[in-house]
Amino acid sequence: MLKKLPIFYSALLLTGVNLLLRMVGTSFQVYLSGRIGAEGIGLLQLVLSLGSMAMVAGTAGIRTGTMYLTAEEFGKRKEKNITWVLSGCVGYSIFCSVTVGVGVYVFAPFLAQHWIGNIRTLESIRLFAVFLPVNCLTGVMVGYFTGANRIGTLAAVEVAEQLCTMVFTMMLLSLWAGHDAEKACQAVVMGSGLGACLTLCSLTILRLRERPATGPRIHVASRLAHTAIPLAIADDLRTGITTVENLMVPKRLALYPGTVSPLAAFGTVCGMVFPVLMFPAAILFGLTELLIPELARCNAAGHTKRISHLVQKSLRVGLLYGTACAGVLFLAADDLCNALYQNTEAGIYLRWFAPLAILLYCDAVTDAMIKGLGQQKASVRYNIFTNAMDVAFLYIWLPKYGITGYFFSFLVTHVINFALSIRRLLKISGERVSLHIPLLTLAASVAAVWASGFVPQPFFRETAYLILLVCSLFLLRILTKEDMIWIKGLIRKK
């Protein structure tokens, strides 16, 4: 009973923080879109795509490596070894991040002109290279506090970082960049870098205030290499493919005759539609983060009944929550995007992608469960395979079908990724899933969307959809009294 209490409240804390950060991030994205427009957002997305690849290469798996090694020492009750673990991780991080940062800075003109295809991104790339070591060292400290199970401290610091980043960026935009897209990109990168500096300083001070004792010197290099390097290779491959994809989209989209501004179209989908589409998923992320260690413990202890229970319930939650969000986003697409971005095109695209929320949310839950059951390598293989497939589809379809080709490529590759993941999950857990439940749920959602479409007022329309959906699910016996008892049991820790 006592063990359930911190797990439940940890889930609430992680969910609340994820939701808050997602709200803040989406609000800031709205502010940026109004400040620099769709084309400026598209330019920023290209810079961030390259920056993300550099970040993954510079981090080189160190965040997860630090977390594992820290948790291992705490598990052995050898807290005095933590100082040596952090020393080794910091040294590894400085070497990798400085090497990558220097490379990015030196080759910034080539990357801007020949990779991104826009020389205006040059100074933004160089700024990112300067702040790269700070971002990577921040990953070391985040890994330590996660391994030490100090989630509350991390949550507070992450919220503070997000707020400070917004304040720094808004000040730079107001006092220096104005509406210039090139300077706006530099302001965003600089604001993010200053926020990372604040986080690094805060976490370092908190660590020093613990007055840690130091034991005899231990060897960390081989353990760190065994943990971090495989993760680094997998992350680099996956992120590299994703970056190539993002940089390729505007260039291939420009070959489609009907595209007026490929950069603006890319910015509308990636910088406006996707943040709104994935905003409700913040509620799931706290739960998925807790599913991984919970399933890992059950798997190690051989608790097959507990694993079966978690798999069935988690898939059910992902399906029902994704269905509810998909319908609301579909019905509210135009009003939502007009209110946030004053962009009718974003509303059209959001309506396209809204039904995919069911697939994306279920995939997030499934991916967390296969990782919890020790199938991390399988998850990496599936992601790399489908990302490479996405690049091939986009290369072929964008010049022929424009943004419609982007949508169908996204749909096909994510369906394949989910099919592979769910197949793996069912195989290793020994579970079976009946198809009639998802099919009936989808049918109920379609009927509820159609019926609620006759309601003229936006807020009442989405409310009507949720009421009709819940009533339909109860009539179809997809939702039962047992489900309500289960939810009450979670709250009461039973």
Side-chain angles (χ1 to χ4, degrees):
M1 184 70 71
L2 292 174
K3 289 185 179 180
K4 291 291 180 183
L5 185 62
I7 290 176
F8 176 69
Y9 283 106
S10 293
L12 287 181
L13 178 61
L14 289 172
T15 300
V17 170
N18 282 327
L19 189 60
L20 176 62
L21 293 179
R22 187 62 59 89
M23 288 176 63
V24 172
T26 303
S27 301
F28 190 56
Q29 195 76 10
V30 172
Y31 169 79
L32 282 178
S33 65
R35 188 89 187 185
I36 62 179
E39 187 171 352
I41 290 291
L43 192 68
L44 178 61
Q45 289 297 320
L46 294 177
V47 173
L48 294 180
S49 295
L50 179 62
S52 176
M53 184 176 179
M55 181 70 180
V56 170
T59 302
I62 192 58
R63 182 183 181 278
T64 305
T66 306
M67 181 179 66
Y68 282 163
L69 294 180
T70 298
E72 191 174 49
E73 296 302 330
F74 273 108
K76 296 176 182 177
R77 300 188 179 278
K78 295 181 178 180
E79 290 86 350
K80 293 182 179 181
N81 292 342
I82 298 294
T83 300
W84 299 113
V85 168
L86 286 178
S87 294
C89 292
V90 167
Y92 174 87
S93 180
I94 290 175
F95 174 78
C96 294
S97 61
V98 170
T99 301
V100 174
V102 170
V104 171
Y105 191 93
V106 171
F107 291 99
F110 174 83
L111 295 172
Q113 187 161 6
H114 298 287
W115 197 339
I116 293 181
N118 196 319
I119 197 63
R120 291 186 295 169
T121 61
L122 172 60
E123 296 304 323
S124 298
I125 294 172
R126 283 179 168 168
L127 273 174
F128 195 94
V130 170
F131 285 111
L132 184 61
V134 176
N135 283 294
C136 296
L137 287 172
T138 301
V140 173
M141 298 309 299
V142 169
Y144 161 71
F145 279 89
T146 304
N149 199 27
R150 296 182 60 181
I151 304 299
T153 301
L154 270 182
V157 173
E158 286 179 359
V159 171
E161 177 188 4
Q162 185 77 356
L163 294 176
C164 291
T165 296
M166 286 181 58
V167 171
F168 291 148
T169 304
M170 292 171 68
M171 288 176 59
L172 290 169
L173 287 172
S174 300
L175 301 176
W176 175 65
H179 296 277
D180 187 299
E182 179 181 352
K183 290 183 177 180
C185 289
Q186 297 173 35
V188 171
V189 174
M190 191 178 298
S192 177
L194 293 174
C197 290
L198 180 64
T199 300
L200 178 60
C201 291
S202 300
L203 294 178
T204 302
I205 291 171
L206 288 171
R207 166 61 182 169
L208 294 175
R209 287 184 63 182
E210 296 174 359
R211 301 183 181 278
T214 303
R217 188 179 186 88
I218 62 171
H219 296 287
V220 180
S222 59
R223 294 166 59 195
L224 181 59
H226 180 74
T227 303
I229 292 178
L231 291 169
I233 294 173
D235 289 343
D236 287 345
L237 284 173
R238 186 173 65 250
T239 307
I241 294 173
T242 302
T243 303
V244 169
E245 174 187 322
N246 289 335
L247 296 176
M248 180 188 68
V249 168
K251 297 177 182 179
R252 299 298 292 174
L253 197 57
L255 301 178
Y256 178 65
T259 304
V260 178
S261 175
L263 197 58
F266 176 68
T268 300
V269 173
C270 295
M272 298 182 184
V273 173
F274 283 172
V276 176
L277 179 68
M278 297 307 295
F279 174 77
I283 294 177
L284 283 179
F285 289 157
L287 298 176
T288 56
E289 287 184 31
L290 292 177
L291 270 177
I292 296 175
E294 179 68 14
L295 283 171
R297 285 190 291 268
C298 293
N299 193 38
H303 294 161
T304 55
K305 290 184 179 180
R306 174 67 173 164
I307 292 174
S308 174
H309 174 77
L310 287 172
V311 169
Q312 293 286 349
K313 289 295 184 183
S314 299
L315 288 175
R316 192 181 183 86
V317 168
L319 172 64
L320 297 179
Y321 182 71
T323 302
C325 293
V328 171
L329 290 171
F330 182 85
L331 292 168
D334 289 332
D335 298 316
L336 200 55
C337 289
N338 283 331
L340 293 175
Y341 306 116
Q342 293 79 48
N343 190 313
T344 55
E345 193 175 23
I348 296 172
Y349 294 150
L350 180 57
R351 193 179 295 110
W352 289 10
F353 284 94
L356 301 187
I358 305 172
L359 174 69
L360 297 174
Y361 293 9
C362 287
D363 186 54
V365 174
T366 304
D367 188 63
M369 287 192 287
I370 64 174
K371 288 178 179 176
L373 293 173
Q375 302 295 310
Q376 291 91 341
K377 292 182 179 179
S379 177
V380 170
R381 286 200 306 270
Y382 300 154
N383 289 331
I384 292 174
F385 171 68
T386 51
N387 284 348
M389 184 183 295
D390 196 27
V391 170
F393 285 158
L394 290 173
Y395 188 86
I396 297 170
W397 288 350
L398 284 177
K400 293 183 179 180
Y401 306 109
I403 205 70
T404 305
Y406 183 93
F407 170 77
F408 281 107
S409 176
F410 186 92
L411 171 63
V412 171
T413 54
H414 281 78
V415 166
I416 293 174
N417 187 286
F418 177 67
L420 292 171
S421 297
I422 193 71
R423 176 179 173 272
R424 187 74 176 184
L425 175 64
L426 298 179
K427 181 179 179 181
I428 60 178
S429 65
E431 293 300 304
R432 299 181 65 183
V433 175
S434 177
L435 288 178
H436 83 277
I437 293 180
L439 291 177
L440 287 176
T441 302
L442 293 176
S445 177
V446 172
V449 167
W450 175 80
S452 58
F454 292 101
V455 180
Q457 296 298 325
F459 175 77
F460 295 106
R461 185 166 59 239
E462 286 83 47
T463 305
Y465 165 76
L466 292 174
I467 294 173
L468 289 171
L469 178 64
V470 172
C471 292
S472 299
L473 294 177
F474 269 109
L475 289 173
L476 294 170
R477 296 185 179 277
I478 295 172
L479 276 177
T480 63
K481 290 182 179 180
E482 286 74 14
D483 292 315
M484 303 307 296
I485 294 172
W486 175 67
I487 292 173
K488 290 180 180 178
L490 288 178
I491 297 174
R492 296 175 181 177
K493 306 177 294 299
K494 293 183 180 179

PDB file of all heavy atoms in Angstrom, residues 364-380:
ATOM      1  N   ALA A 364       2.305   5.417 -28.511  1.00  0.00           N
ATOM      2  CA  ALA A 364       3.134   5.899 -27.399  1.00  0.00           C
ATOM      3  C   ALA A 364       3.056   4.947 -26.212  1.00  0.00           C
ATOM      4  O   ALA A 364       4.074   4.624 -25.583  1.00  0.00           O
ATOM      5  CB  ALA A 364       2.686   7.300 -26.987  1.00  0.00           C
ATOM      6  N   VAL A 365       1.851   4.475 -25.901  1.00  0.00           N
ATOM      7  CA  VAL A 365       1.675   3.537 -24.799  1.00  0.00           C
ATOM      8  C   VAL A 365       2.345   2.203 -25.112  1.00  0.00           C
ATOM      9  O   VAL A 365       3.037   1.614 -24.270  1.00  0.00           O
ATOM     10  CB  VAL A 365       0.174   3.333 -24.510  1.00  0.00           C
ATOM     11  CG1 VAL A 365      -0.030   2.244 -23.468  1.00  0.00           C
ATOM     12  CG2 VAL A 365      -0.452   4.639 -24.036  1.00  0.00           C
ATOM     13  N   THR A 366       2.157   1.716 -26.341  1.00  0.00           N
ATOM     14  CA  THR A 366       2.744   0.439 -26.744  1.00  0.00           C
ATOM     15  C   THR A 366       4.265   0.494 -26.714  1.00  0.00           C
ATOM     16  O   THR A 366       4.928  -0.439 -26.249  1.00  0.00           O
ATOM     17  CB  THR A 366       2.267   0.063 -28.158  1.00  0.00           C
ATOM     18  OG1 THR A 366       0.842   0.041 -28.183  1.00  0.00           O
ATOM     19  CG2 THR A 366       2.794  -1.297 -28.572  1.00  0.00           C
ATOM     20  N   ASP A 367       4.835   1.579 -27.201  1.00  0.00           N
ATOM     21  CA  ASP A 367       6.285   1.728 -27.219  1.00  0.00           C
ATOM     22  C   ASP A 367       6.852   1.709 -25.809  1.00  0.00           C
ATOM     23  O   ASP A 367       7.896   1.086 -25.545  1.00  0.00           O
ATOM     24  CB  ASP A 367       6.649   3.044 -27.919  1.00  0.00           C
ATOM     25  CG  ASP A 367       8.145   3.179 -28.141  1.00  0.00           C
ATOM     26  OD1 ASP A 367       8.715   2.364 -28.875  1.00  0.00           O
ATOM     27  OD2 ASP A 367       8.748   4.114 -27.574  1.00  0.00           O
ATOM     28  N   ALA A 368       6.167   2.371 -24.865  1.00  0.00           N
ATOM     29  CA  ALA A 368       6.630   2.365 -23.472  1.00  0.00           C
ATOM     30  C   ALA A 368       6.597   0.953 -22.891  1.00  0.00           C
ATOM     31  O   ALA A 368       7.512   0.540 -22.166  1.00  0.00           O
ATOM     32  CB  ALA A 368       5.758   3.300 -22.630  1.00  0.00           C
ATOM     33  N   MET A 369       5.570   0.184 -23.244  1.00  0.00           N
ATOM     34  CA  MET A 369       5.446  -1.160 -22.671  1.00  0.00           C
ATOM     35  C   MET A 369       6.500  -2.120 -23.219  1.00  0.00           C
ATOM     36  O   MET A 369       7.043  -2.942 -22.474  1.00  0.00           O
ATOM     37  CB  MET A 369       4.035  -1.700 -22.905  1.00  0.00           C
ATOM     38  CG  MET A 369       2.997  -1.023 -22.025  1.00  0.00           C
ATOM     39  SD  MET A 369       1.391  -1.846 -22.015  1.00  0.00           S
ATOM     40  CE  MET A 369       0.781  -1.409 -23.635  1.00  0.00           C
ATOM     41  N   ILE A 370       6.821  -2.039 -24.519  1.00  0.00           N
ATOM     42  CA  ILE A 370       7.840  -2.962 -25.034  1.00  0.00           C
ATOM     43  C   ILE A 370       9.228  -2.584 -24.500  1.00  0.00           C
ATOM     44  O   ILE A 370      10.078  -3.458 -24.308  1.00  0.00           O
ATOM     45  CB  ILE A 370       7.831  -3.035 -26.583  1.00  0.00           C
ATOM     46  CG1 ILE A 370       8.196  -1.700 -27.220  1.00  0.00           C
ATOM     47  CG2 ILE A 370       6.503  -3.509 -27.102  1.00  0.00           C
ATOM     48  CD1 ILE A 370       8.343  -1.793 -28.734  1.00  0.00           C
ATOM     49  N   LYS A 371       9.440  -1.298 -24.213  1.00  0.00           N
ATOM     50  CA  LYS A 371      10.697  -0.909 -23.569  1.00  0.00           C
ATOM     51  C   LYS A 371      10.751  -1.433 -22.146  1.00  0.00           C
ATOM     52  O   LYS A 371      11.801  -1.882 -21.670  1.00  0.00           O
ATOM     53  CB  LYS A 371      10.846   0.613 -23.590  1.00  0.00           C
ATOM     54  CG  LYS A 371      11.154   1.195 -24.961  1.00  0.00           C
ATOM     55  CD  LYS A 371      11.238   2.705 -24.910  1.00  0.00           C
ATOM     56  CE  LYS A 371      11.565   3.286 -26.282  1.00  0.00           C
ATOM     57  NZ  LYS A 371      11.563   4.772 -26.275  1.00  0.00           N
ATOM     58  N   GLY A 372       9.628  -1.369 -21.441  1.00  0.00           N
ATOM     59  CA  GLY A 372       9.583  -1.872 -20.080  1.00  0.00           C
ATOM     60  C   GLY A 372       9.805  -3.368 -19.993  1.00  0.00           C
ATOM     61  O   GLY A 372      10.285  -3.866 -18.977  1.00  0.00           O
ATOM     62  N   LEU A 373       9.460  -4.080 -21.074  1.00  0.00           N
ATOM     63  CA  LEU A 373       9.657  -5.526 -21.102  1.00  0.00           C
ATOM     64  C   LEU A 373      11.003  -5.913 -21.725  1.00  0.00           C
ATOM     65  O   LEU A 373      11.188  -7.057 -22.151  1.00  0.00           O
ATOM     66  CB  LEU A 373       8.509  -6.186 -21.867  1.00  0.00           C
ATOM     67  CG  LEU A 373       7.141  -6.087 -21.172  1.00  0.00           C
ATOM     68  CD1 LEU A 373       6.031  -6.602 -22.075  1.00  0.00           C
ATOM     69  CD2 LEU A 373       7.154  -6.851 -19.854  1.00  0.00           C
ATOM     70  N   GLY A 374      11.915  -4.951 -21.796  1.00  0.00           N
ATOM     71  CA  GLY A 374      13.285  -5.239 -22.232  1.00  0.00           C
ATOM     72  C   GLY A 374      13.474  -5.333 -23.728  1.00  0.00           C
ATOM     73  O   GLY A 374      14.435  -5.961 -24.185  1.00  0.00           O
ATOM     74  N   GLN A 375      12.604  -4.684 -24.505  1.00  0.00           N
ATOM     75  CA  GLN A 375      12.693  -4.764 -25.965  1.00  0.00           C
ATOM     76  C   GLN A 375      13.116  -3.430 -26.577  1.00  0.00           C
ATOM     77  O   GLN A 375      12.609  -3.016 -27.619  1.00  0.00           O
ATOM     78  CB  GLN A 375      11.330  -5.194 -26.526  1.00  0.00           C
ATOM     79  CG  GLN A 375      10.831  -6.520 -25.993  1.00  0.00           C
ATOM     80  CD  GLN A 375      11.726  -7.663 -26.410  1.00  0.00           C
ATOM     81  OE1 GLN A 375      12.063  -7.815 -27.579  1.00  0.00           O
ATOM     82  NE2 GLN A 375      12.127  -8.477 -25.441  1.00  0.00           N
ATOM     83  N   GLN A 376      14.065  -2.752 -25.922  1.00  0.00           N
ATOM     84  CA  GLN A 376      14.508  -1.444 -26.423  1.00  0.00           C
ATOM     85  C   GLN A 376      15.109  -1.539 -27.826  1.00  0.00           C
ATOM     86  O   GLN A 376      14.876  -0.674 -28.671  1.00  0.00           O
ATOM     87  CB  GLN A 376      15.537  -0.836 -25.462  1.00  0.00           C
ATOM     88  CG  GLN A 376      14.967  -0.418 -24.126  1.00  0.00           C
ATOM     89  CD  GLN A 376      15.046  -1.514 -23.091  1.00  0.00           C
ATOM     90  OE1 GLN A 376      15.195  -2.683 -23.434  1.00  0.00           O
ATOM     91  NE2 GLN A 376      14.945  -1.154 -21.829  1.00  0.00           N
ATOM     92  N   LYS A 377      15.892  -2.583 -28.068  1.00  0.00           N
ATOM     93  CA  LYS A 377      16.531  -2.717 -29.375  1.00  0.00           C
ATOM     94  C   LYS A 377      15.491  -2.919 -30.472  1.00  0.00           C
ATOM     95  O   LYS A 377      15.644  -2.396 -31.584  1.00  0.00           O
ATOM     96  CB  LYS A 377      17.515  -3.884 -29.359  1.00  0.00           C
ATOM     97  CG  LYS A 377      18.736  -3.641 -28.480  1.00  0.00           C
ATOM     98  CD  LYS A 377      19.705  -4.814 -28.542  1.00  0.00           C
ATOM     99  CE  LYS A 377      20.934  -4.558 -27.671  1.00  0.00           C
ATOM    100  NZ  LYS A 377      21.878  -5.699 -27.702  1.00  0.00           N
ATOM    101  N   ALA A 378      14.438  -3.660 -30.176  1.00  0.00           N
ATOM    102  CA  ALA A 378      13.367  -3.851 -31.158  1.00  0.00           C
ATOM    103  C   ALA A 378      12.691  -2.525 -31.466  1.00  0.00           C
ATOM    104  O   ALA A 378      12.395  -2.215 -32.631  1.00  0.00           O
ATOM    105  CB  ALA A 378      12.344  -4.860 -30.636  1.00  0.00           C
ATOM    106  N   SER A 379      12.452  -1.719 -30.433  1.00  0.00           N
ATOM    107  CA  SER A 379      11.833  -0.404 -30.638  1.00  0.00           C
ATOM    108  C   SER A 379      12.704   0.477 -31.526  1.00  0.00           C
ATOM    109  O   SER A 379      12.202   1.155 -32.427  1.00  0.00           O
ATOM    110  CB  SER A 379      11.603   0.271 -29.282  1.00  0.00           C
ATOM    111  OG  SER A 379      11.074   1.561 -29.445  1.00  0.00           O
ATOM    112  N   VAL A 380      14.018   0.453 -31.282  1.00  0.00           N
ATOM    113  CA  VAL A 380      14.941   1.247 -32.107  1.00  0.00           C
ATOM    114  C   VAL A 380      14.924   0.769 -33.553  1.00  0.00           C
ATOM    115  O   VAL A 380      14.888   1.570 -34.496  1.00  0.00           O
ATOM    116  CB  VAL A 380      16.371   1.172 -31.532  1.00  0.00           C
ATOM    117  CG1 VAL A 380      17.374   1.770 -32.507  1.00  0.00           C
ATOM    118  CG2 VAL A 380      16.443   1.895 -30.193  1.00  0.00           C
TER     119      VAL A 380
END
